Amino acid sequence: MTEFLAIIGALFLLYIAIRAFPVLVGVVVGIGVLLLIVFLIIGLTFLLLPLLGIIALIVLVAKLFAV
């Protein structure tokens, strides 16, 4: 029950902060969008890195056999 009241109190304080400082919401949303873009780029890098490694290996083997 204490945790529930703490969550309700935190949400109420967040509501008061948003009402008092509406510019703050824009700043937080902007930072959130930037973080989302950064994590998306990092995720794509880790997803595509093995694929790029395989392509590089194929090109390396093809160059070695071409000589």
Side-chain angles (χ1 to χ4, degrees):
M1 187 66 184
T2 307
E3 293 88 3
F4 176 73
L5 291 175
I7 291 171
I8 297 298
L11 288 175
F12 180 69
L13 288 175
L14 182 65
Y15 172 75
I16 291 174
I18 290 172
R19 293 291 303 259
F21 307 106
V23 175
L24 191 65
V25 175
V27 172
V28 170
V29 168
I31 292 172
V33 168
L34 286 176
L35 285 176
L36 184 70
I37 292 171
V38 167
F39 283 125
L40 182 73
I41 291 171
I42 290 171
L44 284 176
T45 301
F46 281 114
L47 183 70
L48 297 176
L49 207 55
L51 184 64
L52 291 174
I54 292 170
I55 292 172
L57 189 62
I58 291 171
V59 169
L60 181 68
V61 168
K63 281 190 180 263
L64 287 175
F65 281 125
V67 172

